[in-house]
Amino acid sequence: MPGALAGAPADDGAALRLTIAGEAGGTWRFVHRHHGWWPSDGSGLDPVAGVLLDQDVAWRLFTKTLTAADAKRPASLTGDTELAARVLRTVSILAE
């Protein structure tokens, strides 16, 4: 996620929340500090942007079998939607 958010302008302390709905989902928070975005426990942070994705959409998006444009339709982006849309650029590689 920090790679997808790299270069996103924000004040230090700004927070973003990503929620993936479903059995394999969860909620993750990232905070802007020292010109970068870092994972955070989110304690006391009011996010300036939020993203809600279904677990199937997230899986397909993060493995590049779904484009950001196609993922944006079923996604819910709140707050600073330009910042939230950067989450849709995330790529994850899973290995066993």
Side-chain angles (χ1 to χ4, degrees), residues 2-78:
L5 297 173
D11 294 332
D12 270 3
L16 177 141
R17 180 184 57 238
L18 167 62
T19 301
I20 298 177
E23 187 176 303
T27 298
W28 295 266
R29 292 168 186 85
F30 301 87
V31 65
H32 188 265
R33 297 230 190 274
H34 310 293
H35 307 291
W37 289 89
W38 305 96
S40 170
D41 68 3
S43 298
L45 297 176
D46 186 22
V48 297
V51 179
L52 172 62
L53 296 170
D54 174 78
Q55 66 185 7
D56 183 56
V57 171
W59 166 256
R60 292 173 48 221
L61 173 68
F62 298 160
T63 58
K64 294 193 69 127
T65 60
L66 185 68
T67 67
D70 288 337
K72 194 171 185 179
R73 284 183 219 115
S76 173
L77 308 179
T78 58

